[in-house]
Amino acid sequence: MRPLPEKLGEKLCMWYDAGHRELPWRQDKEPYHVWLSEIMLQQTRVEAVKGYYARFLSELPTIKALSDCPPDRLTKLWEGLGYYSRVWNLQKAAKVIMDEHGGAFPETYEAVRALPGVGDYTAGAICSICFERPTPAVDGNVLRVLSRVMEDGAPVTNQKTKTAYREALLPLYEAGSRGKLTQALMELGAMVCVPNGAPKCEICPLRDVCLANAHGTWEKYPVKEAKKAKREEEKTVFYLTCDGCLAVRKRENKGLLAGLWELPNVEGKLDAAQALSFAEKAGCEPAELLKSVERVHVFTHIIWRMRCYYIVCKEKSPEFVWASDARRKTDVALPTAFRMFVEEEI
Ligand code: SF4
């Protein structure tokens, strides 16, 4: 890897000072706020996170409140954000902070990194932004920017590359501007050296030192290793209603969407007669099959190809929990893979 250009940190910090987005989690350096925003922003766009962030903090304004929140309410606050292990880990970490740190957010990189759900990037971001520690935070944005600046062909999906970039950035983390440098790199990756489409080199503070800009090679970087093909699964989902209530059940506490609510479903695609027979055998006394729809949901490693049957029933079989509208609004959070059927026009 080539050395980073001189004054890279200074250029970034000056550019950041000259103007950046005002984001809710940049209003203060409260570690709970920065931590929550970083976890929400993993896999989720800034615009989508803003509303969730405000709702979450207005209901759970302190780490203690997060630690004490009932699980179904917590899932409800996260409903639609996906990757639910993030919110379970937030609560586990909140309990660790209450039990082992007396309720005060830890201030060393090692202690922050040891919290459930906190990786190198998040620990680096929290410690540099909130505590001015020399802890570079290397995520996809930073990898993209630096691989272009240096025309570095090392695969950014590789842990060794991340470690090498972190070490290369370390000397740039000068006292007094550490948090700013982390945020400037994030901002540049989000607004200028963007992930999709052409980077805006003409307004980039690094344009004079960036090799990809000098040679017009930005499309070649970052280099990623080929991803494994996703596994595909077929499913039949049941939208069973009775007296205005919807049949739901809890998933197992392990594997994909562990412990979350779901609509009843079985492996494979059933035809209409088989679907009605399923409802009959479950003790729901199906009265009317309203319609069926086909939908696809893509997870990180798996694709679900689903057929959903909408069936009005006469019996509330004890095999399921029958959730009223009111209950669904407060403490039955369905993951997107199932919620899309609830949002369907019937
Ligand atoms: S000059 Fe262009 S390619 Fe280089 S870092 Fe800036 S936006 Fe990215």
Side-chain angles (χ1 to χ4, degrees), residues 144-146 148-149 188 192-194 199-202 204-208 210-213 218:
R144 180 172 59 259
V145 171
L146 297 187
R148 286 175 175 171
V149 167
L188 192 80
V192 179
C193 200
V194 289
K200 300 169 187 165
C201 302
E202 63 287 356
C204 179
L206 306 181
R207 61 187 176 278
D208 298 338
C210 174
L211 294 176
N213 182 40
W218 62 267

Side-chain angles (χ1 to χ4, degrees), residues 4-212:
L4 287 172
E6 273 183 37
K7 305 214 164 119
L8 184 112
E10 268 175 67
K11 285 174 193 282
L12 283 166
C13 289
M14 278 170 59
W15 169 79
Y16 188 76
D17 278 342
H20 54 261
R21 289 170 299 171
E22 287 301 325
L23 298 171
W25 42 91
R26 286 193 184 145
Q27 306 304 317
D28 57 52
K29 292 186 175 173
E30 163 59 43
Y32 177 36
H33 299 170
V34 174
W35 169 45
L36 177 64
S37 69
E38 287 301 333
I39 299 295
M40 283 187 166
L41 286 164
Q42 292 166 9
Q43 326 275 356
T44 314
R45 289 174 307 106
V46 165
E47 284 312 311
V49 163
K50 283 181 182 169
Y52 281 96
Y53 177 81
R55 267 194 303 280
F56 200 96
L57 278 185
S58 86
E59 184 154 338
L60 305 174
T62 60
I63 292 174
K64 177 164 188 337
L66 168 59
S67 160
D68 294 342
C69 183
D72 280 343
R73 188 65 205 137
L74 195 60
T75 326
K76 193 70 194 168
L77 286 168
W78 206 263
E79 186 181 19
L81 270 177
Y83 302 96
Y84 284 81
S85 58
R86 292 184 292 170
V87 72
W88 301 135
N89 279 330
L90 271 174
Q91 189 171 52
K92 274 190 215 157
K95 289 182 193 293
V96 170
I97 294 169
M98 296 310 299
D99 296 345
E100 296 175 20
H101 300 280
F105 203 94
E107 296 194 12
T108 64
Y109 179 86
E110 290 68 29
V112 176
R113 177 69 179 79
L115 295 172
V118 174
D120 291 330
Y121 166 76
T122 309
I126 295 170
C127 290
S128 57
I129 294 171
C130 306
F131 309 121
E132 272 296 315
R133 304 252 182 236
T135 52
V138 174
D139 70 345
N141 283 325
V142 175
L143 290 164
R144 180 172 59 259
V145 171
L146 297 187
S147 65
R148 286 175 175 171
V149 167
M150 296 183 288
E151 282 190 321
D152 183 26
V156 294
T157 33
N158 193 316
Q159 187 55 41
K160 272 191 196 155
T161 310
K162 289 180 194 163
T163 306
Y165 280 31
R166 204 174 302 124
E167 283 169 6
L169 278 172
L170 197 52
L172 274 54
Y173 271 68
E174 291 172 6
S177 59
R178 290 164 178 159
K180 192 186 293 177
L181 181 54
T182 291
Q183 295 187 88
L185 276 162
M186 289 175 180
E187 187 78 356
L188 192 80
M191 303 305 289
V192 179
C193 200
V194 289
N196 303 311
K200 300 169 187 165
C201 302
E202 63 287 356
I203 56 160
C204 179
L206 306 181
R207 61 187 176 278
D208 298 338
V209 294
C210 174
L211 294 176

Side-chain angles (χ1 to χ4, degrees), residues 139-327:
D139 70 345
N141 283 325
V142 175
L143 290 164
R144 180 172 59 259
V145 171
L146 297 187
S147 65
R148 286 175 175 171
V149 167
M150 296 183 288
E151 282 190 321
D152 183 26
V156 294
T157 33
N158 193 316
Q159 187 55 41
K160 272 191 196 155
T161 310
K162 289 180 194 163
T163 306
Y165 280 31
R166 204 174 302 124
E167 283 169 6
L169 278 172
L170 197 52
L172 274 54
Y173 271 68
E174 291 172 6
S177 59
R178 290 164 178 159
K180 192 186 293 177
L181 181 54
T182 291
Q183 295 187 88
L185 276 162
M186 289 175 180
E187 187 78 356
L188 192 80
M191 303 305 289
V192 179
C193 200
V194 289
N196 303 311
K200 300 169 187 165
C201 302
E202 63 287 356
I203 56 160
C204 179
L206 306 181
R207 61 187 176 278
D208 298 338
V209 294
C210 174
L211 294 176
N213 182 40
H215 304 140
T217 53
W218 62 267
E219 268 178 300
K220 293 190 185 163
Y221 306 97
V223 172
K224 294 181 183 171
E225 278 164 346
K227 280 188 187 164
K228 275 194 208 153
K230 293 180 196 259
R231 192 174 82 235
E232 299 205 10
E233 292 179 358
E234 291 195 328
K235 285 190 180 296
T236 301
V237 178
F238 298 90
Y239 186 97
L240 306 172
T241 51
C242 184
D243 292 338
C245 294
L246 175 67
V248 292
R249 66 185 182 191
K250 276 268 173 101
R251 289 177 67 79
E252 278 187 69
N253 270 331
K254 58 181 176 32
L256 191 65
L257 305 177
L260 296 177
W261 291 100
E262 67 174 2
L263 296 180
N265 62 87
V266 294
E267 295 301 316
K269 283 196 178 169
L270 304 187
D271 62 25
Q274 290 169 322
L276 287 167
S277 158
F278 169 88
E280 186 72 54
K281 282 188 192 144
C284 301
E285 268 202 56
E288 190 183 357
L289 172 55
L290 298 175
K291 69 168 191 172
S292 68
V293 296
E294 305 271 339
R295 292 287 178 269
V296 176
H297 187 75
V298 180
F299 295 96
T300 319
H301 305 297
I302 301 176
I303 298 176
W304 279 0
R305 300 196 176 279
M306 297 175 282
R307 175 178 295 159
C308 177
Y309 288 99
Y310 290 75
I311 302 173
V312 179
C313 304
K314 288 187 196 155
E315 281 296 321
K316 288 182 183 155
S317 156
E319 215 169 286
F320 308 119
V321 171
W322 294 85
S324 64
D325 270 0
R327 180 156 182 210

